[in-house]
Amino acid sequence: MRLFPLEGAAALSLHLVLDTTASEAGDEPLTLSSPDETSRVFVAAVKGDADTVVELLALKLLTDASESRPGEPDTNGARDERFRKERQYTKTLSAMGPGFPRLYGLELGEKEGGLLPPLLYHRGLRMLFRTPSPRGGFLATCRDEGVLSAHGLPSYEGSLEKFLWDPAAPEDERAFYGTGPARANVRTPAELLSDLDAALEAGVVSLPGTDGSVRLGKAARFLSFYDGPFLLTGLSPLTIEEFSDLAGGRPWESLRAVRGGPSVPPATRFRHAVFASHASASTRTLFSAEGSGLDAVEALALKLTAFRQVARSLITFGKATSRPHLDVHPRHLLVDLYGGGDGLPALWCFQTRLHGLSAGGRVVELQGFEELAVPPAAPAVPYASPEAQEFRLAGTRPCEVVLSEVNESARGVELEGRLVDPYGLYPAPTPNDVLVLGLHDATLDLGVTQATARLRPRAPVTGSEITFLTSPLPLAEGATQRLRRTIGVRLPATTYKVYSDFRATGDFHALGVLLLRLLVVNDAQDIASVTQELTRFFAPHAGRVKQAADGPALVTLARGDAAVGPLLARPCVFFEAEDRRRGRPNAIPEVLWDRALLLAFRLFSKVPGLSLSLAGPVSGAGSFLDRLDWVVQETEAITKELESVLFSRQGLHLEIQQVLGEVWLEELSPSVAPRRRV
């Protein structure tokens, strides 16, 4: 179904891929996202002629829904700004490195303002049309605040409601159409279709490429009711979880079969078919056919390479935005395969791409501080860090504030005092966190209703009390003297909210969970059970770790633990139980497996002296970017050792395997053991 250009001939055209199993009423565009998100993603294709597909793409649009997401400032203006920043970051980051979505553009012209127009889809004809106005011409989203106010409609920028209108219509003939709450002067989408059918009947409106007999009726629906921004990127056939499972020996056919066949979403089946087209003429890996155990080494090397690509992309993202991503999880980590030639391995030529770049625009601006990064409204568990989950659980809380000092300077007035939460400070603030104090008592007449503050350096901190120091405040005239008279007295009607410094904790927790997912998750254990058992294990053993050098001993303890040990065994690198059976060759050196586990521990755990997300010596300490760089270097070092096992020492390894095999046969039955040549 052609999307661009909607009319006329073109050497290349953009089409939406249709789901032919959608419903009896007709085919529907194939979607990659769930309907409860604020955006929708469609599968698209660039075509030459009718039989030539040049490139498969993903088209991302805002939803038409007006429901607000809890915990975030959610308006049309905010959503447009997030979308604009995501496009900006995608363009910038794509030029900085390969680990980001491939961005494509559409020349929509200045008249449309670079926005995809409202689109009407006729299921019977399998055609898209730009939504016409019942008066002739075309409808557009009304962004004229003066017009909206004059008709008693909510602001576009300040609300989540939107309305279609015909900008060319005379003032006394203006009609508005919307998908939000019912309003007397706003017609519904069903009424718009009815108005268009009447206009088609009267010959006022025509649909390009059709004769005058076509009517909309029940065969039509709106692909996008409003015009809006869009993002067009390359389509990646696999998620990083699927890639990891395939590297671990999972048959690609089982991506559909294991999860119940028809219950797999059509878009997922489509992605898997794209992967099959890459892998059909080639093997997936180099060592899957031989029995020395090198296939385990190869699987681990491929998984660590994918992980290293993710970490590198996060470094590039951090350099471009000066903040961590904070929304790293498998749905935002997609893998492009470039295909091998005949007989060459398909999984050895890939690129992991980091999506969800609108996270870079998820910030709050607080007086006296630069923009602060905040996590998404619905953190992805278990990949979201404890700090991110606490931030979303903790709202504005009541407290007691007692001032001890009021200091004037050229920049304003600084307040110092005690903050007490009798129920316990939540989340517990650290020296780099920012507190927003609410000053809601109107009798003080301060001229401000909130102040931003940090913990006073070197002041004692308890579970329910801290000493704070505010940034300079531009107080109203006379407010300083009124505040000085309150020193030592509890201020009424005060609240606080803690904004954690996520640049300190970064994306390390998410990377730790991701690495564990790649290393040990298979058809018998999931990531939730692994992280739960590890969290239980770390609690009593945290005191054994005084510094990073104690990490290997902690790994040894974990592998010997009755509950955790089996979850971390080397055979877990394989997906299927048959490959994890006892006695099956596995050539991963114990020292390299333990090193990979130690890296995962340092990323995932909150053990002081070991954790990369806690302050302290880190073997390469510094900012979150410095620590990410250390993660990349450590992953590269392990991967190079594995590649050395695969290639540089392969002959020696195979000879040792042969000798061990002959010894095993001699012990089993001397009569059948082959005689070694001397």
Side-chain angles (χ1 to χ4, degrees), residues 221-550:
R221 62 179 292 269
F222 294 98
L223 180 77
S224 55
F225 192 78
Y226 306 101
D227 57 55
F230 68 94
L231 195 64
L232 192 62
T233 59
L235 177 69
S236 300
L238 297 175
T239 67
I240 197 169
E241 290 181 307
E242 292 166 342
F243 175 84
S244 175
D245 293 346
L246 291 168
R250 180 178 187 176
W252 76 264
E253 298 88 348
S254 75
L255 288 175
R256 289 175 288 180
V258 167
R259 293 196 173 107
S263 64
V264 175
T268 302
R269 294 200 300 271
F270 182 83
R271 287 192 297 101
H272 295 167
V274 173
F275 165 72
S277 69
H278 285 298
S280 59
S282 61
T283 57
R284 284 190 300 174
T285 56
L286 285 171
F287 298 97
S288 59
E290 55 86 45
S292 67
L294 285 178
D295 53 346
V297 180
E298 182 181 26
L300 181 56
L302 288 172
K303 294 181 180 193
L304 289 178
T305 300
F307 176 79
R308 184 187 67 212
Q309 290 177 352
V310 174
R312 277 181 170 167
S313 296
L314 288 172
I315 291 176
T316 305
F317 182 89
K319 288 180 178 178
T321 65
S322 300
R323 58 182 69 99
H325 187 282
L326 299 182
D327 201 14
V328 178
H329 53 78
R331 293 195 306 278
H332 283 163
L333 298 169
L334 304 180
V335 179
D336 276 355
L337 294 174
Y338 300 102
D342 188 18
L344 295 176
L347 295 186
W348 274 84
C349 193
F350 69 93
Q351 177 63 55
T352 308
R353 299 188 185 274
L354 176 65
H355 288 248
L357 303 184
S358 60
R362 193 178 290 113
V363 297
V364 293
E365 297 182 12
L366 300 177
Q367 180 264 332
F369 294 91
E370 61 187 24
E371 291 182 333
L372 298 178
V374 295
V381 179
Y383 293 89
S385 68
E387 293 84 3
Q389 296 180 56
E390 287 179 352
F391 177 80
R392 285 307 179 189
L393 288 173
T396 300
R397 296 166 62 90
C399 64
E400 298 178 1
V401 170
V402 178
L403 297 182
S404 57
E405 290 188 33
V406 177
N407 299 315
E408 286 187 274
S409 68
R411 296 183 301 161
V413 179
E414 296 179 349
L415 309 180
E416 184 176 332
R418 292 184 301 109
L419 184 151
V420 179
D421 184 343
Y423 298 100
L425 295 164
Y426 186 81
T430 66
N432 290 327
D433 294 345
V434 178
L435 292 90
V436 175
L437 306 180
L439 306 170
H440 306 294
D441 185 18
T443 60
L444 290 175
D445 190 21
L446 300 179
V448 296
T449 57
Q450 68 177 29
T452 52
R454 278 201 166 120
L455 301 187
R456 188 178 184 281
R458 295 177 295 278
V461 178
T462 68
S464 60
E465 181 178 327
I466 58 170
T467 302
F468 64 85
L469 181 64
T470 71
S471 57
L473 299 172
L475 297 183
E477 185 178 353
T480 304
Q481 293 303 319
R482 287 193 295 276
L483 277 176
R484 284 199 171 114
R485 287 196 292 269
T486 68
I487 289 177
V489 179
R490 182 172 65 88
L491 293 179
T494 53
T495 60
Y496 77 99
K497 180 175 176 60
V498 178
Y499 284 84
S500 299
D501 179 16
F502 289 102
R503 287 179 301 180
T505 54
D507 295 305
F508 299 110
H509 177 90
L511 283 175
V513 178
L514 176 65
L515 183 53
L516 289 168
R517 167 61 181 87
L518 301 182
L519 293 178
V520 300
V521 168
N522 48 56
D523 64 351
Q525 60 192 34
D526 58 26
I527 187 59
S529 61
V530 172
T531 54
Q532 287 169 8
E533 285 297 329
L534 272 178
T535 302
R536 178 201 60 78
F537 169 80
F538 286 138
H541 292 97
R544 296 173 179 264
V545 178
K546 305 301 181 186
Q547 55 188 347
D550 297 330

Side-chain angles (χ1 to χ4, degrees), residues 41 375 584:
V41 183
R584 202 266 201 206

Side-chain angles (χ1 to χ4, degrees), residues 25-28 120-127 129 193 197 214-222:
D27 303 335
E28 294 284 348
L120 185 66
Y121 170 48
H122 196 292
R123 286 179 287 189
L125 299 175
R126 301 177 74 178
M127 294 177 68
F129 304 97
L193 291 176
D197 269 340
V214 172
R215 298 294 178 267
L216 300 175
K218 295 182 179 180
R221 62 179 292 269
F222 294 98

Side-chain angles (χ1 to χ4, degrees), residues 145-170:
E145 299 290 352
V147 170
L148 292 171
S149 176
H151 288 80
L153 299 177
S155 161
Y156 175 85
E157 287 288 334
S159 75
L160 275 175
E161 290 194 62
K162 294 186 279 190
F163 306 95
L164 283 183
W165 73 321
D166 183 347

Side-chain angles (χ1 to χ4, degrees), residues 47-71:
K47 297 186 68 174
D49 54 36
D51 301 316
T52 305
V53 175
V54 179
E55 184 82 17
L56 290 170
L57 306 175
L59 175 67
K60 184 175 183 179
L61 306 174
L62 285 172
T63 62
D64 293 331
S66 58
E67 290 82 6
S68 176
R69 298 185 65 172

Side-chain angles (χ1 to χ4, degrees), residues 15-93:
H15 295 247
L16 292 184
V17 177
L18 296 176
D19 175 14
T20 57
T21 65
S23 68
E24 295 181 0
D27 303 335
E28 294 284 348
L30 199 57
T31 58
L32 289 168
S33 59
S34 57
D36 60 342
E37 297 173 354
T38 59
S39 59
R40 298 165 295 161
V41 183
F42 297 96
V43 180
V46 176
K47 297 186 68 174
D49 54 36
D51 301 316
T52 305
V53 175
V54 179
E55 184 82 17
L56 290 170
L57 306 175
L59 175 67
K60 184 175 183 179
L61 306 174
L62 285 172
T63 62
D64 293 331
S66 58
E67 290 82 6
S68 176
R69 298 185 65 172
E72 286 191 3
D74 216 4
T75 63
N76 293 318
R79 289 187 179 184
D80 288 349
E81 179 64 12
R82 285 200 296 269
F83 219 97
R84 184 194 67 79
K85 285 191 175 182
E86 181 171 8
R87 183 179 180 83
Q88 172 191 328
Y89 288 138
T90 303
K91 183 177 181 179
T92 301
L93 292 165

